[in-house]
Structure formats: structure tokens, C-alpha cells
Amino acid sequence: MITDSYSTSPPTTGQSRSFDRPTGPIYPANMTRRFGRILDGAGLRRIRFHDLRHSTATPLLEQGIDSS
């Protein structure tokens, strides 16, 4: 379950989470809402936040850059 990875405990040594901040984690629902507002404000159609990964990976692969 996605929320399991967003516990309030700090990551163990050598690990980090993509969306932590000093006051705690950013929860997926909050990230989704905020991203939706950004898209709306920019006059862009709604996409899933995860779709950004694909939107970035395709041009990188076309340029011969490994995105992993």
C-alpha cells in the first residue's frame, strides 16, 4: 500500500524518501491535490503525477540517456 512508505519514522541509514521535508512526509493525497492545482493554474490538462516520469523518460531515451 502506498501510504505504508510514508510513515512518520525517519528513513534508515542510507535511505531517503523523495518527498520528505523537515516537518514530516508529504502524503500522496496532498501531493495529488497540489499538483492538480498547479496544472489548473497553468491552464494544462490534468494528468497523474506519475505520468511525469514517462513524459521525462521518453525524451531522455530518445537522446540515448539512461533515465534509471
Side-chain angles (χ1 to χ4, degrees), residues 45-63:
R45 70 179 173 89
R46 289 265 181 137
I47 63 171
R48 297 173 304 155
F49 187 77
H50 179 77
D51 293 336
L52 294 175
R53 178 182 179 130
H54 300 287
S55 299
T56 302
T58 301
L60 290 175
L61 289 171
E62 288 172 349
Q63 295 176 44

Side-chain angles (χ1 to χ4, degrees), residues 4-7 11 20 22-23 26-27 31 38 46 53 57-58 64:
D4 290 344
S5 64
Y6 288 87
S7 69
D20 273 357
T23 57
I26 298 174
Y27 293 95
M31 189 71 188
I38 291 169
R46 289 265 181 137
R53 178 182 179 130
T58 301

Side-chain angles (χ1 to χ4, degrees), residues 14-40:
Q15 294 180 338
S16 64
R17 293 185 291 230
S18 298
F19 299 113
D20 273 357
R21 57 190 174 172
T23 57
I26 298 174
Y27 293 95
N30 294 338
M31 189 71 188
T32 299
R33 274 193 299 275
R34 176 68 186 240
F35 184 59
R37 280 189 238 130
I38 291 169
L39 293 174
D40 292 344

